[in-house]
Amino acid sequence: MSQISASSMPQASTFAEVETDSFRAAMRELAGGVAVITVGKGSDITGFTATSVSSLCAAPPRLLVCVAQSSDSWRALQRHPYFGVNLLRNEEHALADRFAGRDGLEGTARYAGTRWTTMLTGTAVLENALAAFDCEVTEMLPRYDHAIIIGRVCALRASAGSFPLVYWQGGYHPFERAIVNPGDR
Ligand SMILES: Cc1cc2nc3c(=O)[nH]c(=O)nc-3n(C[C@H](O)[C@H](O)[C@H](O)COP(=O)(O)O)c2cc1C
């Protein structure tokens, strides 16, 4: 068995790639919380909807998000190495669509009609987010047609008492608390 060091990836595989379409179809089964990633400063702002947010490490607090290298946000991150992660509430599917570019708006226009604030870095964060993380970029790792962005969490706010927006099988779904039968525990 070949050894793979922790810091390197195999350059070639003996196994053929699985079909992209079947990969996409299988990944549709992965339910994800929806976030809006805010990027930029002043009038040079943009952002995108993402389900690829993940906690990398809690001590110290670091998170990651994957961004397409074709996106405006990837280019904005080269200019301003900060980003906000805004976890959306159940009812925020219109905002998710807007930051996914589904109504044709770009840049600052995606921010109109929504209340924003700032914390430490000056990046806009959603006032009404379920939780918001104000991050400084520590690493940007281009991989294939995306890049992994690692953020140092400089400030955060969280507000309980609401449900998250969930994306599954290509659509938004109301979150329902699992009903646990006491006999099943
Ligand atoms: C539910 C959902 C999740 C998404 N997750 C990601 C993601 O994790 N990373 C990413 O780069 N794009 C993701 N996208 C696509 C971007 O939101 C979309 O391409 C966006 O318009 C890119 O910004 P741009 O118009 O500035 O290029 C997602 C879209 C949706 C609807």
Side-chain angles (χ1 to χ4, degrees):
M1 198 167 73
S2 64
Q3 297 255 313
I4 300 172
S5 78
S7 61
S8 71
M9 294 280 288
Q11 293 302 302
S13 172
T14 27
F15 307 106
E17 298 279 3
V18 298
E19 291 292 328
T20 296
D21 285 351
S22 48
F23 174 73
R24 284 206 177 108
M27 286 303 290
R28 284 165 59 88
E29 302 303 331
L30 177 64
V34 182
V36 159
I37 310 301
T38 42
V39 186
K41 197 174 166 185
S43 57
D44 184 19
I45 53 173
T46 185
F48 66 105
T49 297
T51 47
S52 60
V53 174
S54 184
S55 163
L56 174 63
C57 182
R62 301 286 183 272
L63 53 73
L64 65 82
V65 60
C66 300
V67 61
Q69 289 183 47
S70 58
S71 68
D72 287 347
S73 293
W74 167 244
R75 288 180 285 279
L77 281 163
Q78 331 279 318
R79 300 189 292 273
H80 310 288
Y82 304 96
F83 62 99
V85 174
N86 304 277
L87 305 188
L88 298 190
R89 294 174 191 266
N90 205 15
E91 63 273 16
E92 300 275 29
H93 41 85
L95 194 64
D97 273 346
R98 182 187 294 186
F99 274 82
R102 289 180 171 170
D103 50 11
L105 298 175
E106 292 185 352
T108 51
R110 289 186 183 171
Y111 288 73
T114 306
R115 292 164 69 98
W116 304 91
T117 185
T118 55
M119 288 192 277
L120 268 184
T121 71
T123 310
V125 291
L126 192 58
E127 259 192 29
N128 195 33
L130 206 52
F133 303 86
D134 190 17
C135 302
E136 178 179 40
V137 173
T138 63
E139 285 181 82
M140 301 206 283
L141 307 168
R143 292 292 184 273
Y144 310 102
D145 59 354
H146 278 61
I148 303 162
I149 311 297
I150 299 176
R152 173 180 181 274
V153 180
C154 302
L156 56 80
R157 49 196 282 178
S159 50
S162 191
F163 291 121
L165 182 62
V166 174
Y167 194 73
W168 178 63
Q169 289 189 339
Y172 303 110
H173 296 273
F175 180 88
E176 287 172 32
R177 243 183 231 291
I179 299 167
V180 180
N181 183 337
D184 294 343
R185 278 192 234 182

Coordinates of all heavy atoms in Angstrom, one line a residue, residues 38-47 72 76 79-80 99 106-112 118 122-124:
T38 N -20.1 37.5 2.8 CA -20.0 38.9 2.4 C -18.5 39.2 2.3 O -17.7 38.7 3.1 CB -20.6 39.8 3.5 OG1 -20.3 39.3 4.8 CG2 -22.1 39.8 3.3
V39 N -18.2 39.9 1.2 CA -16.8 40.2 0.9 C -16.7 41.7 0.4 O -17.6 42.2 -0.3 CB -16.3 39.3 -0.3 CG1 -14.8 39.5 -0.5 CG2 -16.6 37.8 0.0
G40 N -15.6 42.3 0.8 CA -15.3 43.7 0.2 C -15.4 44.8 1.2 O -15.8 44.6 2.4
K41 N -15.2 46.0 0.7 CA -15.1 47.2 1.6 C -15.7 48.4 0.8 O -15.5 48.5 -0.4 CB -13.7 47.4 1.9 CG -13.4 48.3 3.0 CD -11.9 48.4 3.2 CE -11.4 49.5 4.1 NZ -10.0 49.5 4.2
G42 N -16.4 49.3 1.5 CA -17.0 50.5 0.9 C -17.9 50.1 -0.2 O -18.9 49.4 0.0
S43 N -17.7 50.7 -1.4 CA -18.6 50.4 -2.5 C -18.1 49.2 -3.3 O -18.7 48.8 -4.3 CB -18.6 51.6 -3.5 OG -17.3 52.0 -3.9
D44 N -16.9 48.7 -2.9 CA -16.4 47.5 -3.6 C -16.8 46.2 -2.9 O -15.9 45.5 -2.3 CB -14.8 47.6 -3.7 CG -14.2 46.5 -4.5 OD1 -14.9 45.8 -5.3 OD2 -12.9 46.3 -4.3
I45 N -18.1 46.0 -2.8 CA -18.6 44.8 -2.1 C -19.3 43.9 -3.0 O -19.9 44.3 -4.0 CB -19.5 45.2 -0.9 CG1 -20.6 46.2 -1.4 CG2 -18.6 45.9 0.2 CD1 -21.6 46.4 -0.2
T46 N -19.3 42.6 -2.6 CA -20.0 41.6 -3.3 C -20.2 40.4 -2.3 O -20.0 40.6 -1.1 CB -19.3 41.1 -4.6 OG1 -20.2 40.2 -5.3 CG2 -18.0 40.5 -4.3
G47 N -20.6 39.3 -2.8 CA -20.8 38.2 -1.9 C -21.5 37.0 -2.6 O -22.0 37.2 -3.7
D72 N -17.0 36.7 -8.6 CA -16.6 38.0 -8.3 C -16.0 38.0 -6.9 O -15.1 38.8 -6.6 CB -17.8 39.0 -8.3 CG -18.2 39.3 -9.7 OD1 -17.4 39.0 -10.7 OD2 -19.3 39.9 -9.9
A76 N -12.6 39.6 -5.4 CA -12.7 40.6 -4.3 C -11.8 40.2 -3.1 O -11.2 41.1 -2.4 CB -14.1 40.8 -3.9
R79 N -8.4 41.5 -3.1 CA -8.3 42.9 -2.8 C -8.5 43.2 -1.3 O -7.8 44.0 -0.7 CB -9.3 43.7 -3.6 CG -9.1 43.6 -5.1 CD -10.0 44.6 -5.9 NE -11.4 44.4 -5.8 CZ -12.1 43.6 -6.6 NH1 -11.5 43.0 -7.6 NH2 -13.4 43.4 -6.4
H80 N -9.4 42.4 -0.7 CA -9.7 42.6 0.7 C -9.7 41.2 1.4 O -10.7 40.5 1.2 CB -11.1 43.2 0.8 CG -11.3 44.4 0.0 ND1 -10.8 45.7 0.2 CD2 -12.1 44.6 -1.2 CE1 -11.1 46.5 -0.7 NE2 -11.9 45.9 -1.5
F99 N -28.0 36.4 -3.4 CA -26.6 36.2 -3.3 C -26.1 35.0 -4.2 O -24.9 34.9 -4.4 CB -26.1 36.1 -1.9 CG -25.9 37.5 -1.3 CD1 -27.0 38.2 -0.8 CD2 -24.6 38.1 -1.2 CE1 -26.8 39.5 -0.2 CE2 -24.4 39.3 -0.7 CZ -25.5 40.1 -0.2
E106 N -25.8 42.1 -9.0 CA -24.4 41.9 -8.7 C -23.9 42.9 -7.7 O -24.5 44.0 -7.5 CB -23.6 42.0 -10.0 CG -23.8 40.9 -11.0 CD -22.9 41.0 -12.2 OE1 -22.2 42.0 -12.3 OE2 -23.0 40.1 -13.0
G107 N -22.8 42.6 -7.0 CA -22.1 43.6 -6.2 C -23.0 44.2 -5.1 O -23.7 43.5 -4.4
T108 N -22.9 45.6 -5.0 CA -23.6 46.3 -4.0 C -25.1 46.1 -4.1 O -25.8 46.1 -3.1 CB -23.4 47.8 -4.1 OG1 -23.6 48.2 -5.4 CG2 -22.0 48.2 -3.7
A109 N -25.6 45.8 -5.3 CA -27.1 45.7 -5.5 C -27.6 44.5 -4.7 O -28.8 44.4 -4.3 CB -27.4 45.5 -7.0
R110 N -26.8 43.5 -4.4 CA -27.2 42.3 -3.6 C -27.5 42.7 -2.2 O -28.2 42.0 -1.5 CB -26.1 41.2 -3.7 CG -26.1 40.6 -5.0 CD -25.1 39.4 -5.1 NE -25.0 38.9 -6.5 CZ -24.2 38.0 -6.9 NH1 -23.3 37.4 -6.1 NH2 -24.2 37.6 -8.2
Y111 N -27.0 43.9 -1.7 CA -27.1 44.3 -0.3 C -28.4 45.1 -0.1 O -28.7 45.4 1.1 CB -25.9 45.1 0.1 CG -24.6 44.2 0.3 CD1 -23.9 43.7 -0.8 CD2 -24.1 43.9 1.5 CE1 -22.8 42.9 -0.7 CE2 -23.0 43.1 1.7 CZ -22.3 42.6 0.6 OH -21.2 41.8 0.8
A112 N -29.0 45.6 -1.2 CA -30.1 46.6 -1.0 C -31.3 46.0 -0.3 O -31.6 44.8 -0.5 CB -30.5 47.1 -2.4
T118 N -21.5 46.1 11.0 CA -20.1 45.6 11.0 C -19.7 45.3 12.4 O -20.3 45.7 13.4 CB -19.2 46.7 10.4 OG1 -19.3 47.9 11.2 CG2 -19.4 47.0 9.0
G122 N -14.8 45.4 9.6 CA -15.4 46.4 8.7 C -16.2 45.7 7.6 O -16.9 46.3 6.8
T123 N -16.2 44.4 7.5 CA -17.0 43.6 6.5 C -18.4 43.6 7.0 O -18.7 43.5 8.2 CB -16.5 42.1 6.4 OG1 -15.1 42.2 6.3 CG2 -17.2 41.4 5.3
A124 N -19.3 43.8 6.0 CA -20.8 43.8 6.4 C -21.2 42.5 6.8 O -20.9 41.4 6.2 CB -21.6 44.2 5.1

